[in-house]
Amino acid sequence: MALPFFTFFLIFLVPSLSNADWPPSPGYWPSSKLKSLNFWYGYRNLWGPSHQSFQQNSLKLWLDRTSGSGFKSVKAFRSGYFGTSIKLQPGYTAGVITAFYVSLSNSEAHPGFHDEVDIEFLGTTFGKPYTLQTNIYVRGSGDGRIIGREMKFHLWFDPTQGFHHYAIFWSPKEIIFLVDDVPIRRYPRRSDATFPLRPMWIYGSIWDASSWATENGKYKADYRYQPFVASFTNFKANGCSAYSPARCRPLSASPFRSGGLTRQQFHAMIWVQKYHMVYNYCQDYKRDHSLTPECWH
């Protein structure tokens, strides 16, 4: 009688243990509601054209001693869902940033006063995981005197082993960051002063940020390991463009047309933050939180 019980144990208990490090299902998958976008229809090279190629339905950007590379959407949006699937390079990538973000013309149109919402992968050293950094700059807080709103995560999977989908959902009410449709962060609009409201473009890039990217600049980019390559595919961008009529209705990251998260999505987000978040600016006692009043709420 012991053998059948042991078999039952293996079948039902062991799989539950193997899934213990994965987030609970969000129950809703917003990326599945949107069609993939042909890269050349929605984006253009911004810089480093010689360090960019399109192969097997994926865009490759790379960084070496001479240059990195980046792309930019052909139109600006005032709200929407912006996502792409990314595969990162394994091994030594310290100092290297792979980024997907939305920005108010990347400070070109409004130098010293731009808005930006970032998903950034901070390069790492051998044997250590990548750090996914989410950040929000509002009205020049990323220019000059930096006032970042960083939350950082070590993911529940290895982002170098395959493509995973990363997305920014931005509406007039909130910003939600998603990984494989799992919400990892929600930034609600508390006030106009702490929320980006002007039209923004979508960007992607790979570049050398040795001065700060890996353990606050302790480890620098080592070009003995060049080129550093990031692959992008499955581009998704939908929402109200800067020139859409006023009646254009913002998308939602949940089944609720009014926005927000379902209880199941919220539960998944809290799980990620409990087990995989490694930094929250609101919990950093060294920060001057008079500059980030949303932390008081």
Side-chain angles (χ1 to χ4, degrees):
M1 296 296 292
L3 184 59
F5 176 80
F6 182 70
T7 304
F8 176 89
F9 177 87
L10 289 176
I11 293 173
F12 291 99
L13 182 56
V14 173
S16 67
L17 293 175
S18 65
N19 292 331
D21 290 333
W22 285 79
S25 169
Y28 186 76
W29 295 267
S31 69
S32 68
K33 311 298 180 184
L34 304 174
K35 293 182 178 180
S36 295
L37 178 70
N38 181 285
F39 175 81
W40 300 114
Y41 178 80
Y43 296 91
R44 295 291 184 271
N45 172 264
L46 180 63
W47 61 286
S50 64
H51 289 60
Q52 187 175 122
S53 68
F54 203 84
Q55 304 171 7
Q56 298 178 341
N57 295 320
S58 71
L59 176 74
K60 294 186 182 298
L61 304 183
W62 63 91
L63 168 71
D64 60 24
R65 290 182 184 274
T66 64
S67 180
S69 189
F71 59 85
K72 178 182 177 181
S73 63
V74 297
K75 62 182 179 180
F77 293 83
R78 64 173 187 261
S79 67
Y81 175 100
F82 316 112
T84 183
S85 296
I86 302 174
K87 182 180 179 182
L88 302 173
Q89 177 165 310
Y92 188 97
T93 56
V96 178
I97 293 287
T98 300
F100 182 73
Y101 60 105
V102 293
S103 176
L104 183 64
S105 202
N106 200 22
S107 76
E108 297 160 13
H110 299 269
F113 198 62
H114 86 287
D115 300 331
E116 188 169 310
V117 180
D118 297 327
I119 291 176
E120 297 173 305
F121 292 96
L122 312 185
T124 189
T125 57
F126 293 115
K128 294 184 179 180
Y130 270 91
T131 297
L132 184 153
Q133 173 171 278
T134 63
N135 202 357
I136 299 164
Y137 293 119
V138 183
R139 300 188 180 188
S141 66
D143 306 295
R145 184 186 181 190
I146 303 296
I147 306 171
R149 293 171 166 85
E150 305 94 340
M151 287 180 65
K152 302 178 183 181
F153 303 84
H154 287 163
L155 296 168
W156 52 95
F157 54 84
D158 183 348
T160 71
Q161 295 302 301
F163 284 97
H164 292 268
H165 200 71
Y166 307 92
I168 296 167
F169 168 78
W170 170 46
S171 80
K173 295 181 179 180
E174 61 193 352
I175 297 167
I176 299 172
F177 297 87
L178 304 107
V179 175
D180 289 339
D181 287 315
V182 176
I184 64 169
R185 178 182 183 182
R186 179 176 179 266
Y187 181 86
R189 178 178 172 182
R190 303 289 190 188
S191 70
D192 291 355
T194 61
F195 196 86
L197 294 168
R198 295 173 292 177
M200 295 193 280
W201 280 259
I202 314 165
Y203 295 83
S205 63
I206 187 168
W207 55 290
D208 186 334
S210 289
S211 63
W212 63 270
T214 306
E215 298 187 30
N216 295 318
K218 178 180 179 180
Y219 298 99
K220 315 293 185 183
D222 187 338
Y223 287 100
R224 291 178 299 173
Y225 301 106
Q226 70 176 23
F228 302 104
V229 181
S231 300
F232 297 74
T233 191
N234 193 22
F235 294 92
K236 299 195 175 188
N238 201 340
C240 298
S241 78
Y243 305 104
S244 295
R247 65 177 180 274
C248 182
R249 190 181 186 95
L251 297 173
S252 175
S254 75
F256 306 138
R257 297 191 65 182
S258 59
L261 299 173
T262 66
R263 181 176 298 180
Q264 195 169 346
Q265 286 178 308
F266 180 77
H267 177 63
M269 181 180 71
I270 295 302
W271 186 95
V272 171
Q273 293 182 2
K274 179 178 179 180
Y275 293 108
H276 292 275
M277 185 172 68
V278 295
Y279 178 82
N280 181 347
Y281 74 107
C282 282
Q283 298 172 0
D284 187 344
Y285 70 91
K286 297 179 182 178
R287 298 283 296 267
D288 179 0
H289 290 299
S290 67
L291 303 174
T292 54
E294 69 276 4
C295 291
W296 304 342
H297 294 274

